[in-house]
């Protein structure tokens, strides 16, 4: 895996910076301000995306802020330029979902992912702008999705891994009714400056316990665990080198104003004079998206990040599993892009794989 691919597998779009919640661990810098994406930005992105989608599977992920805070009328106008081959996904806190939104999702074929951290007592940091718990409103949105028979994914943030938590969370999400689950250990990122240093044994134990819970009843696609098992199987088969793509996916994030940040959506909205200002590689209102991506390697910070990826390749035995980590985690934890191991690496890559392997060792059959 060397350099950046010219064509991404998906694009992240920010229909508005506004979020109606004020979660304690949120990384977004402008979530109290309603800056909406003009339709001209969506049209410019669609000009590149539509041919990519016609050539193979392609997704647009609507991610805010809270995308639904843009309203159905404006979101429909942003969706309109995209062709029928494009798959649309929305990452939402679910508090605004009602029957009308469910009809909108069904009409436009939008796949929904809900951000929720587990049962009520695990959601104390997901609060409204007035500081009130958002849990009941989240559940009301999920109930609407289920009432309309709309499948949905779930994304949970875990701030404090502890024994018993993984089983509790997995059982909760089984009951919630999602069909895909992603687990994020809280990250030090953006405006969230809380440390994400965690006890290594606690994090490894959390992942091992999650594998055990999933194996007892694997009705949910468990994002991190299934990738880990796939990688472990490839190592045993001698095919691990074939798992990672030849080049990094650029993962372009198109902000509300059309500016494009590659590799890490979490860098959108931030700037650093050491890297020439903001982290964008261009703006779709000034240049085609394909042209921006082709020149992304010339963005001041990107070269430093790619040097960090090569440093990981030469020094880290887990490189084949993660491919060199995420740019935003390096920047917000280390203050640079060419550092190597971060707490995010340890929590969500190294200890994830170690937890999967620990579970395998503990449940290895005597005959083996």
């Amino acid at each position: 895996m060397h350099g950046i691919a010219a064509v991404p597998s998906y694009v992240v779009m920010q229909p508005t910076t506004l979020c109606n919640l004020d979660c304690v661990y949120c990384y977004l810098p402008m979530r109290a301000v309603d800056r909406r994406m003009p339709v001209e930005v969506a049209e410019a992105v669609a000009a590149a995306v539509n041919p990519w989608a016609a050539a193979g599977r392609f997704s647009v992920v609507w991610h805010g802020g809270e995308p639904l805070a843009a309203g159905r009328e404006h979101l429909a106008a942003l969706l309109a330029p995209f062709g029928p081959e494009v798959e649309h996904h929305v990452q939402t806190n679910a508090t605004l979902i009602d029957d009308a939104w469910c009809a909108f999702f069904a009409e436009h074929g939008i796949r929904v992912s809900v951000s929720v951290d587990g049962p009520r007592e695990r959601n104390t940091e997901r609060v409204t702008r007035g500081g009130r718990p958002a849990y009941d409103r989240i559940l009301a949105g999920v109930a609407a999705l289920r009432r309309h028979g709309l499948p949905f994914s779930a994304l949970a943030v875990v701030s404090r891994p502890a024994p018993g938590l993984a089983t509790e969370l997995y059982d909760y999400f089984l009951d919630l009714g999602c069909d895909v689950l992603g687990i994020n250990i809280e990250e030090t990122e953006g405006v969230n400056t809380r440390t994400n240093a965690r006890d290594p044994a606690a994090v490894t134990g959390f992942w091992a316990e999650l594998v055990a819970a999933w194996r007892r009843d694997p009705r949910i696609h468990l994002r991190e665990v299934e990738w880990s098992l796939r990688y472990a199987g490839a190592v045993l088969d001698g095919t691990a080198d074939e798992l990672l793509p030849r080049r990094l996916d650029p993962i372009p994030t198109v902000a509300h104003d059309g500016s494009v940040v590659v590799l890490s959506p979490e860098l959108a909205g931030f700037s650093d004079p050491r890297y020439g200002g903001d982290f964008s590689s261009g703006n779709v209102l000034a240049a085609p998206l394909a042209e921006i991506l082709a020149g992304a390697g010339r963005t001041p910070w990107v070269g430093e990040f790619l040097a960090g990826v090569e440093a990981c390749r030469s020094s880290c035995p887990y490189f084949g599993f993660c491919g060199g980590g995420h740019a935003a985690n390096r920047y917000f934890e280390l203050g640079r892009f060419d550092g190597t191991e971060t707490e995010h690496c340890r929590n969500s890559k190294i200890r994830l794989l170690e937890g999967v392997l620990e579970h395998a060792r503990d449940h290895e059959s005597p005959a083996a």
Side-chain angles (χ1 to χ4, degrees), residues 119-139:
R120 184 182 303 275
E121 61 273 16
R122 304 295 180 186
N123 277 267
T124 57
E125 295 187 325
R126 298 187 63 76
V127 295
T128 67
R129 299 225 143 263
R132 298 179 62 83
Y135 185 70
D136 288 337
R137 293 174 61 186
I138 295 170
L139 280 197

Side-chain angles (χ1 to χ4, degrees), residues 35-54:
R35 297 180 180 174
R36 298 191 181 187
M37 176 179 284
V39 172
E40 291 77 13
V41 170
E43 290 172 341
V45 175
V49 164
N50 287 341
W52 292 336

Side-chain angles (χ1 to χ4, degrees), residues 94-171:
T95 60
L96 300 176
I97 296 177
D98 56 14
D99 292 337
W101 271 112
C102 288
F104 182 90
F105 298 147
E107 177 186 354
H108 295 279
I110 298 174
R111 172 73 194 211
V112 179
S113 178
V114 172
S115 299
V116 57
D117 299 336
R120 184 182 303 275
E121 61 273 16
R122 304 295 180 186
N123 277 267
T124 57
E125 295 187 325
R126 298 187 63 76
V127 295
T128 67
R129 299 225 143 263
R132 298 179 62 83
Y135 185 70
D136 288 337
R137 293 174 61 186
I138 295 170
L139 280 197
V142 170
L145 291 171
R146 296 186 65 168
R147 189 165 59 247
H148 287 264
L150 294 175
F152 64 96
S153 304
L155 182 63
V157 173
V158 172
S159 296
R160 289 168 288 278
L165 175 58
T167 301
E168 175 190 338
L169 290 178
Y170 189 75
D171 290 344

Side-chain angles (χ1 to χ4, degrees), residues 81-106:
F82 293 93
E85 297 91 353
V86 177
E87 297 180 10
H88 292 280
H89 301 249
V90 63
Q91 185 67 46
T92 174
N93 61 41
T95 60
L96 300 176
I97 296 177
D98 56 14
D99 292 337
W101 271 112
C102 288
F104 182 90
F105 298 147

Side-chain angles (χ1 to χ4, degrees), residues 11-15 36-48 62 74 77-78 81-82 253-260 283-286 289:
V11 170
V12 179
M13 300 277 282
Q14 185 183 49
R36 298 191 181 187
M37 176 179 284
V39 172
E40 291 77 13
V41 170
E43 290 172 341
V45 175
W62 299 92
H74 187 62
L78 296 177
F82 293 93
T253 295
V254 182
H256 68 96
D257 61 355
S259 59
V260 180
N283 191 298
V284 296
L285 296 179
L289 180 58

Side-chain angles (χ1 to χ4, degrees), residues 1-318:
M1 190 167 68
H2 297 273
I4 302 173
V7 178
S9 59
Y10 64 100
V11 170
V12 179
M13 300 277 282
Q14 185 183 49
T16 177
T17 57
L18 180 66
C19 187
N20 59 321
L21 298 188
D22 193 21
C23 301
V24 175
Y25 50 68
C26 184
Y27 66 87
L28 291 165
M30 296 185 291
R31 61 185 186 271
V33 182
D34 188 7
R35 297 180 180 174
R36 298 191 181 187
M37 176 179 284
V39 172
E40 291 77 13
V41 170
E43 290 172 341
V45 175
V49 164
N50 287 341
W52 292 336
R57 186 174 182 181
F58 197 93
S59 299
V60 170
V61 180
W62 299 92
H63 198 332
E66 167 51 49
L68 306 193
R72 284 186 295 279
E73 182 177 350
H74 187 62
L75 194 54
L78 296 177
L79 290 166
F82 293 93
E85 297 91 353
V86 177
E87 297 180 10
H88 292 280
H89 301 249
V90 63
Q91 185 67 46
T92 174
N93 61 41
T95 60
L96 300 176
I97 296 177
D98 56 14
D99 292 337
W101 271 112
C102 288
F104 182 90
F105 298 147
E107 177 186 354
H108 295 279
I110 298 174
R111 172 73 194 211
V112 179
S113 178
V114 172
S115 299
V116 57
D117 299 336
R120 184 182 303 275
E121 61 273 16
R122 304 295 180 186
N123 277 267
T124 57
E125 295 187 325
R126 298 187 63 76
V127 295
T128 67
R129 299 225 143 263
R132 298 179 62 83
Y135 185 70
D136 288 337
R137 293 174 61 186
I138 295 170
L139 280 197
V142 170
L145 291 171
R146 296 186 65 168
R147 189 165 59 247
H148 287 264
L150 294 175
F152 64 96
S153 304
L155 182 63
V157 173
V158 172
S159 296
R160 289 168 288 278
L165 175 58
T167 301
E168 175 190 338
L169 290 178
Y170 189 75
D171 290 344
Y172 172 84
F173 285 105
L174 277 177
D175 291 339
L176 192 69
C178 63
D179 55 8
V180 179
L181 173 61
I183 299 286
N184 287 347
I185 305 293
E186 183 182 339
E187 301 170 42
T188 301
E189 237 174 15
V191 297
N192 179 26
T193 58
R194 301 196 308 188
T195 180
N196 60 339
R198 299 288 180 263
D199 175 65
V203 179
T204 302
F206 171 83
W207 290 118
E209 182 185 322
L210 188 62
V211 179
W214 174 75
R215 288 192 65 188
R216 284 194 297 271
D217 191 355
R219 281 181 286 150
I220 296 176
H221 287 292
L222 197 49
R223 186 182 64 183
E224 289 77 15
V225 168
E226 292 186 29
W227 164 247
S228 302
L229 292 172
R230 184 182 172 199
Y231 175 76
V235 169
L236 294 174
D237 293 340
T239 59
D241 289 345
E242 300 173 12
L243 284 181
L244 292 177
R246 297 298 94 190
R247 293 181 178 272
L248 288 166
D249 193 318
I251 318 174
T253 295
V254 182
H256 68 96
D257 61 355
S259 59
V260 180
V261 172
V262 298
L263 298 170
S264 281
E266 299 83 2
L267 291 171
F270 291 92
S271 61
D272 187 328
R274 293 179 299 160
Y275 299 100
D278 66 27
F279 296 111
S280 68
S281 295
N283 191 298
V284 296
L285 296 179
L289 180 58
E291 181 180 311
I292 293 171
L293 297 183
R298 296 190 294 272
T299 305
W301 66 269
V302 172
E304 186 176 291
F305 169 70
L306 293 176
V309 171
E310 292 308 308
C312 285
R313 186 195 306 275
S314 64
S315 64
C316 182
Y318 296 88

